[in-house]
Amino acid sequence: MPIYKRKEGQEQPYWPAGPFKVRLPFIHYRWESAEFVQALIMFVVPLGMIPLLIEYLGLPYQVALAYVFIGGIGFMLPSLLGVAMVPGWITPAIPVVLLFLGDFQPGPEAIQALFALQFLVFLIFFILGITKLGDKLVEIVPNSLKAGILVGAGLAALMGEIQHGGRLMNTPSSLIIGSLVAFYILFSLSFKHLVEKHKIAKIIANYGLVPAMVTAMIIGWIVSEYPLANIEWGITQPAFIEMWSYLPFTVGFPPLQVFLLAVPTAIIAYIIAFGDIIVGKTLLQRADKVRKDEAIDTNVNRVHIVTAIRNLIHAFFAPYPGLAGPLWTPVHATMVERYKYGRKAMDSIHSGMGTFWIAGFLGLFILPLVSLFQPILPIALSLTLIITAYVCISVGVEQVHTTTERGVAGIMAVVLAVHGATFGLIAGVVLYFLIEKTSFFNKSTKGQEPEEEKAS
C-alpha cells in the first residue's frame, strides 16, 4: 500500500515540481499486479525496434539493445512526472521516418539524419508546450491535410508489411492469424458484446495485444516461420560502452541541409502525435465520468513538455526511428477500460500506468525473457504497424466530410505513402489551395461544398 492515501474525489497524491507532479510507486500509488503481468509480455514490443535500428542505422544487436534501454527510461518519465497516459512511439510516423532514412546510408550518415529529425521533434513539442500553442497550431491544419497525413501513414505502414519481401509475405501464417486475433479483440463489435456477457472475454480484453502476440508467436514456432529461442540465463548486458561509437558525439552532428530535409517529416510526426494526445485525453475524460473517486489531470502542456524531454534524450543518446510519442493507443485504451471497473480493479490511473512501464523496464534486464523473444521480434513490430495502419486509416477517414476534402486527402495520402513526407506535404498543400480554397485571400468555410457538387 502507498504511504500517501487519496481522499475520495481528489487527485492522486504527488510532490509538486514546477510544471510536473512527481509520483513514485509504493509512496504515491500502489503496485498493480495485472499491469505487472501484462508488461512482462508487452515489453517485447519495444524490443521490436531492434530490427529497424540494425537495418537503418547499422547498429550491432547489443548496441541496439542499449538504445532500447534508453527508450525504457523515457517510457517511465511520463508517469513519474504526472502525465496520465501510457507513452509509446509515434507509431503511425514510423513508415514516414523510414522513408526519410531510406535516403541515407546506414551508419554515421543515417544516425546524423535521425538526430536531426528527433531534435526537431523535440523543438516542436517543447516550444508548443511552454507557449501553450499546441492546440492552435493543429486547429489551423485543414481537415483534408490531417486526413492525408493519417491515411498516408497508415498506407505506408500496411504497404511495408504486405509488399513483396515484406514481413507478412515472408511469414504469412503467424502474422495473418495474429493480426486477425488482434483486430477481433480490439475492434470487433461481436467481441464487445461477449465482453459484456462473459467474464473470460472481459479478462482477455484486459490484456489488449497480449493474446494476439502470444498467438502469433506460437503459430510462428509451430509452422517454423521463426526459429525456436535459445534461452539464456542471467541478466542482459547491453553494450553501453560500445554504444558511444554510434552516437552523434562520435559520428558527428548533421549539417544544416539535413535539418532542412527533416522538417516535413518532423511536422507530420508532430501532427500525428497531437492526434494521439487528443485520443488519450478523450479516453481519460470518459473514464473520469465513471470513476468519481479520482480527479484526473489531463494537462496537454505537460504532455508536450515531457514528450519533448524524451525526444531530447533520444536525439543525443539513442536516435530512434519510432521517435518518442505521447501515447501507446492499444495499451492505454485497455488500461483505461480496466480502470473503469472500480478502485478494487485499479486504485488509480497512475498506479496502472506507473506499474506498467516500470515492470516493462525491469523486463529488459531478464535475459531469459529477452532471449526467448529475440527470434520473434519482427512479430511484435509487424503487429504494432498493422494495427496502427487500421487505426490511422479509420481515424483519418473520419476527418473529411466533403467530396473535395476526400479527394485532396486521398491523393496526398498516396503520394506521402509512396514518396515520403516532403512530396506528400507539397502535394497536399498545393491541392488544398488549388481545389478547396474558395478564395486565396479569405479563409474557406469548412465543410462547404461547391454549388455544382451539391447539385449533383
Side-chain angles (χ1 to χ4, degrees):
M1 295 296 292
I3 295 175
Y4 295 100
K5 303 292 191 298
R6 182 179 77 249
K7 295 182 179 179
E8 189 73 15
Q10 294 186 358
E11 192 176 349
Q12 191 71 8
Y14 61 89
W15 291 330
F20 308 117
K21 296 180 176 180
V22 177
R23 293 185 177 92
L24 299 174
F26 307 111
I27 296 177
H28 299 101
Y29 59 82
R30 80 181 187 192
W31 193 257
E32 302 287 352
S33 57
E35 277 63 44
F36 175 73
V37 173
Q38 186 178 2
L40 290 182
I41 298 175
M42 291 305 294
F43 89 98
V44 68
V45 175
L47 290 174
M49 187 58 58
I50 290 177
L52 297 184
L53 292 166
I54 293 172
E55 179 180 356
Y56 287 89
L57 298 189
L59 305 185
Y61 174 82
Q62 295 295 338
V63 172
L65 182 60
Y67 270 41
V68 172
F69 269 79
I70 300 298
I73 295 172
F75 285 140
M76 293 187 290
L77 283 180
S79 177
L80 173 67
L81 298 178
V83 174
M85 293 184 189
V86 182
W89 305 325
I90 308 181
T91 309
I94 291 176
V96 183
V97 173
L98 297 183
L99 285 171
F100 168 71
L101 290 177
D103 294 330
F104 300 91
Q105 187 71 24
E109 188 177 305
I111 294 171
Q112 289 181 356
L114 192 50
F115 168 84
L117 172 61
Q118 196 140 28
F119 189 79
L120 288 175
V121 172
F122 150 72
L123 284 178
I124 294 172
F125 271 102
F126 184 72
I127 292 172
L128 296 179
I130 60 174
T131 60
K132 304 179 181 180
L133 293 175
D135 291 329
K136 297 180 181 178
L137 177 66
V138 174
E139 283 176 2
I140 67 175
V141 178
N143 291 335
S144 56
L145 268 63
K146 291 179 186 175
I149 289 170
L150 288 170
V151 175
L155 288 175
L158 194 59
M159 287 165 53
E161 297 302 312
I162 67 175
Q163 68 185 0
H164 182 71
R167 281 182 290 266
L168 189 140
M169 300 304 292
N170 290 334
T171 55
S173 299
S174 55
L175 288 182
I176 290 175
I177 294 174
S179 298
L180 291 177
V181 171
F183 285 144
Y184 183 69
I185 292 174
L186 295 175
F187 308 118
S188 171
L189 297 177
S190 64
F191 185 74
K192 289 181 180 178
H193 291 307
L194 289 176
V195 170
E196 295 171 359
K197 298 178 181 179
H198 301 286
K199 187 176 181 179
I200 294 177
K202 183 180 290 186
I203 293 172
I204 293 173
N206 283 344
Y207 289 96
L209 277 175
V210 170
M213 196 83 67
V214 172
T215 300
M217 288 165 48
I218 294 173
I219 295 296
W221 283 327
I222 290 175
V223 301
S224 300
E225 287 182 344
Y226 291 91
L228 292 174
N230 179 22
I231 299 179
E232 303 174 34
W233 301 95
I235 300 175
T236 52
Q237 296 180 346
F240 288 112
I241 296 176
E242 188 180 353
M243 183 180 74
W244 189 261
S245 300
Y246 296 88
L247 296 181
F249 306 103
T250 303
V251 302
F253 291 92
L256 177 61
Q257 180 183 1
V258 176
F259 280 96
L260 295 176
L261 290 172
V263 167
T265 305
I267 293 173
I268 282 181
Y270 173 76
I271 294 174
I272 292 173
F274 190 85
D276 286 341
I277 293 174
I278 298 303
V279 171
K281 184 175 180 179
T282 301
L283 291 173
L284 290 172
Q285 288 172 338
R286 291 175 185 173
D288 206 24
K289 294 177 181 178
V290 177
R291 288 284 300 268
K292 301 298 183 182
D293 60 289
E294 179 179 12
I296 303 174
D297 181 5
T298 58
N299 188 300
V300 171
N301 297 316
R302 187 182 303 120
V303 177
H304 273 74
I305 296 172
V306 174
T307 306
I309 293 172
R310 291 175 56 217
N311 277 289
L312 182 65
I313 293 171
H314 268 297
F316 283 99
F317 298 104
Y320 230 49
L323 305 176
L327 191 73
W328 188 357
T329 305
V331 175
H332 179 83
T334 54
M335 200 174 295
V336 169
E337 284 301 313
R338 203 175 83 80
Y339 172 73
K340 290 180 181 178
Y341 296 152
R343 194 161 185 175
K344 288 185 178 180
M346 186 185 299
D347 181 52
S348 165
I349 194 68
H350 296 282
S351 64
M353 295 176 177
T355 300
F356 181 85
W357 270 127
I358 293 175
F361 183 70
L362 294 176
L364 294 175
F365 289 92
I366 305 174
L367 185 56
L369 283 179
V370 173
S371 58
L372 172 67
F373 292 129
Q374 183 177 347
I376 49 84
L377 290 182
I379 289 178
L381 182 60
S382 292
L383 285 180
T384 301
L385 289 172
I386 290 170
I387 294 166
T388 296
Y390 177 93
V391 173
C392 282
I393 292 172
S394 61
V395 173
V397 170
E398 291 179 357
Q399 306 300 312
V400 289
H401 310 289
T402 70
T403 302
T404 304
E405 288 180 343
R406 287 190 286 271
V408 172
I411 297 296
M412 178 185 177
V414 173
V415 174
L416 190 152
V418 175
H419 296 290
T422 302
F423 290 106
L425 274 180
I426 292 173
V429 171
V430 169
L431 289 176
Y432 169 73
F433 281 102
L434 190 65
I435 298 175
E436 285 191 65
K437 291 284 285 186
T438 56
S439 168
F440 284 105
F441 304 101
N442 297 318
K443 185 177 181 180
S444 59
T445 304
K446 288 187 177 180
Q448 197 170 37
E449 300 244 24
E451 292 297 325
E452 60 270 20
E453 197 169 286
K454 288 181 181 179
S456 62

